[in-house]
Amino acid sequence: VWLLMGHESEIPNPGDYRRIKIADQPLILVRGDDGQVRIFYNTCRHRASIVALETEGNCQVFKCPYHGFQYGNDGRLVKVPLDGGYGAWFNREEFGLIEIPRVEHYNGMVFGSFNPDVETLRDYFGPALEYLDYCTRGDDAPLEVVDKYSYDIRANWKLLIDNTVDGYHAPYVHGRMFEIVGLTEEQFINNNDCIARLLGFHGAIEWQEKHPMAARTKSRYMAIFPNIT
């Protein structure tokens, strides 16, 4: 499927990069000197060491710390120490960093897939596209990453997406919040203006669903399977 890999605002300048780990794969999200955003496996083609050592930064060349192979920020293999020892069969053009098969952009978000035959990104969003558009450009201002944090959970990876579209737990787990806004458990449960909506693989919990999207002023929760809430 399609996975959110990052956002264009995280790598605004040529040479900017971030190390990311998606589906347990070490990757590099990088903007080349040509301005194009690419996603490479963070793996040297020689002996599989990582080549981007820092969490993020700016560089023109990724240098493998094991044997000194160097790769441009467009993935090309640009330097091989003692390359005369590899013989006539060795062609640098065939040993650049490996890109993941599919990368597409949507409203500044960078999506990727390890499946070369995955459906188009718009088809994958399906009926969730209207919700995604509103969340990412509903006020006509582009999204920008202003902060980030990370955490590890010893749980099945589907737990996060399952919890996001589960409105059943809300008045119990978040009971104090409802008390603050003056809403009782019974009022929440019997609120006919609240609806859980299936959107293909995806889902949403929203209020005022009978209003036009821009007029739905109350909070809503949306999940794009499998790694966006």
Side-chain angles (χ1 to χ4, degrees):
V1 297
W2 287 100
L3 299 160
L4 180 64
M5 300 281 183
H7 195 269
E8 293 173 357
S9 66
E10 297 178 282
I11 48 170
N13 305 307
D16 285 351
Y17 73 90
R18 287 190 65 231
R19 283 176 51 179
I20 56 178
K21 193 173 187 179
I22 304 289
D24 213 32
Q25 298 297 315
L27 304 170
I28 310 170
L29 174 69
V30 59
R31 187 180 296 275
D33 287 338
D34 59 0
Q36 183 175 340
V37 175
R38 300 177 176 89
I39 301 173
F40 298 108
Y41 287 94
N42 189 8
T43 307
C44 181
R45 298 296 303 281
H46 181 227
R47 288 291 185 268
S49 169
I50 63 172
V51 297
L53 307 183
E54 304 298 329
T55 303
E56 56 187 82
N58 182 284
C59 72
Q60 276 66 52
V61 173
F62 296 104
K63 183 177 180 180
C64 174
Y66 193 17
H67 294 108
F69 278 52
Q70 295 184 27
Y71 302 86
N73 55 28
D74 59 358
R76 293 179 302 112
L77 178 60
V78 296
K79 184 175 181 180
V80 178
L82 303 175
D83 59 351
Y86 287 90
W89 64 271
F90 183 72
N91 183 350
R92 289 190 188 185
E93 294 181 357
E94 298 176 1
F95 290 92
L97 295 177
I98 297 176
E99 291 189 63
I100 67 171
R102 295 285 296 277
V103 176
E104 287 193 29
H105 299 237
Y106 195 82
N107 291 356
M109 296 175 289
V110 183
F111 291 87
S113 176
F114 300 109
N115 174 16
D117 299 318
V118 69
E119 62 188 320
T120 68
L121 189 60
R122 282 181 169 270
D123 286 342
Y124 181 71
F125 291 149
L129 191 62
E130 179 187 17
Y131 293 78
L132 190 64
D133 276 339
Y134 183 74
C135 289
T136 56
R137 62 182 185 191
D139 57 0
D140 297 321
L143 290 181
E144 181 181 354
V145 175
V146 296
D147 202 355
K148 64 191 92 165
Y149 63 91
S150 63
Y151 51 87
D152 294 309
I153 302 174
R154 289 185 177 274
N156 185 285
W157 62 271
K158 293 184 286 292
L159 177 65
L160 177 64
I161 209 79
D162 180 69
N163 182 71
T164 301
V165 293
D166 173 12
Y168 199 11
H169 76 273
Y172 311 107
V173 175
H174 307 292
R176 178 58 181 155
M177 178 188 71
F178 288 102
E179 288 180 16
I180 292 174
V181 300
L183 189 65
T184 67
E185 173 186 323
E186 289 75 18
Q187 288 172 325
F188 177 85
I189 292 174
N190 296 318
N191 186 353
N192 294 325
D193 204 21
C194 172
I195 187 171
R197 181 178 296 282
L198 290 175
L199 304 167
F201 282 109
H202 322 299
I205 298 173
E206 62 174 337
W207 287 259
Q208 300 175 306
E209 60 92 18
K210 295 180 181 179
H211 293 66
M213 185 68 76
R216 301 176 198 176
T217 56
K218 294 183 179 179
S219 297
R220 88 265 337 243
Y221 294 92
M222 179 186 67
I224 299 293
F225 183 84
N227 73 334
I228 307 176
T229 61

